[in-house]
Amino acid sequence: KAVIIGATATFVGAALVPASSLALGANYGARNNAKPATAASEAGPFCNKLSTDASNLTSKMTDLESKVTQAWAQQDQKLASDGQNVDSRVATDRQKADTERQTDFTKLEAKATTGAQKQAVQDYETAVNNAVSTRRAAYDAARATFRDGVKSAVDSRRGTVSGQQNGFSDAVNSAISTAQASCSSDSNGGPAARTAFVASLKTARQTFVSDRKDDSKIGQQVSQLAATRNAAFKAADQAFQTSMQSAHQALQQAFGKKSI
C-alpha cells in the first residue's frame, strides 16, 4: 500500500512547471523595471525573446512529463514485482504444506487396521484436501480482487492527473500562441502582450494547483480494499476450521478411543 501511495504522489512534482512559468514572467518584470518602460523599449525585449523563452518553457514541461511517465513505469514494475514475490512465497508455503500433509496422511493410514477405519481415513483425507482447496481458492480470489481494485484506483488517479496535466499544457501553449500573435500583429504591443502572457501563465498555474488540491487520494481506497481482502481471508479461515473439525470428529468416531 505504501508503495502505491508514495509512487502516485510523484506527480505532485509537476507543479514545478507552473512555478517555472511564473518565474519566466517575473524575469520580464525584473528586466523592465530597471528603467521607466515605453512601448518601444518593451516591445523589442519581450517579443524578440518570446520564441526562446517559450521553447525553454515547453522543454521544461516536456521534461517533467517524461519524469512522471518514468515514475509511473517504475511504480508498475514495483507493484508487479511485489505481487510476484507474494505469489512465490505462497507457492513455496503451499508446496511445503502439501508435503507435510501427505506425510501425516501416510502415518494415519498406517494406524488404520479395520475396513471401517481405512474408509474413515480415506474420507478424512478427501475432506481435508477439499477444505484446503476451498480455502486456497478463496485466498486467491481475495488477492486477485484486491490487486484489480488497486490497479483500477491507480489508473483512475492517473487519468485524472493526466487530464490536469494536459489542461495546463494547453493553457500554456495557448498563452504562448496568443503572445506570438500579438507580437506579430502589433510591433508596439509588447507591453500589453507581456502583461497578458504573464497573467495567462499565472491563471494556468492557479487552476492547475487548485485542481490538484481537489484530487481524491487513493490511500483510503487501498485501505478499504485491504480490509475487504483481509475479511475474506478471515472468513476462509473460519470455514476451513469448521470443515477440519467436522472431518476430525468423523475420523475419531471410526477409531474410537484409539489415539490418532
Side-chain angles (χ1 to χ4, degrees), residues 218-243:
I218 69 170
Q220 184 176 0
Q221 297 179 54
V222 173
S223 295
Q224 292 174 345
L225 289 167
T228 299
R229 178 201 59 195
N230 294 341
F233 287 169
K234 184 177 180 179
D237 289 340
Q238 292 174 341
F240 176 77
Q241 292 299 328
T242 298
S243 297

Side-chain angles (χ1 to χ4, degrees), residues 37-179:
T38 64
S41 66
E42 276 196 13
F46 173 75
C47 291
N48 290 339
K49 285 183 60 63
L50 177 58
S51 178
T52 299
D53 290 336
S55 178
N56 290 337
L57 177 57
T58 54
S59 178
K60 291 178 181 179
M61 292 169 56
T62 299
D63 181 59
L64 286 173
E65 291 170 2
S66 177
K67 290 180 179 179
V68 171
T69 300
Q70 181 179 9
W72 284 352
Q74 291 174 345
Q75 178 189 13
D76 288 340
Q77 293 176 354
K78 183 64 168 61
L79 291 175
S81 177
D82 289 346
Q84 291 171 357
N85 289 337
V86 170
D87 292 342
S88 179
R89 289 196 299 270
V90 168
T92 299
D93 291 343
R94 287 180 177 180
Q95 184 176 17
K96 180 180 178 181
D98 289 343
T99 300
E100 292 176 349
R101 186 169 61 258
Q102 187 57 51
T103 298
D104 291 339
F105 286 166
T106 300
K107 293 179 180 179
L108 185 59
E109 291 168 1
K111 294 181 179 181
T113 57
T114 68
Q117 290 175 347
K118 292 179 181 180
Q119 182 61 51
V121 169
Q122 291 181 7
D123 293 342
Y124 174 77
E125 292 177 358
T126 298
V128 170
N129 287 332
N130 288 340
V132 169
S133 296
T134 298
R135 182 170 67 168
R136 288 179 177 179
Y139 263 67
D140 291 345
R143 272 192 295 269
T145 299
F146 171 76
R147 292 173 184 177
D148 289 344
V150 170
K151 184 179 185 304
S152 178
V154 170
D155 288 346
S156 177
R157 172 72 164 162
R158 289 179 180 179
T160 298
V161 172
S162 293
Q164 294 164 345
Q165 173 187 354
N166 292 336
F168 175 75
S169 296
D170 290 345
V172 171
N173 290 331
S174 177
I176 292 173
S177 296
T178 299

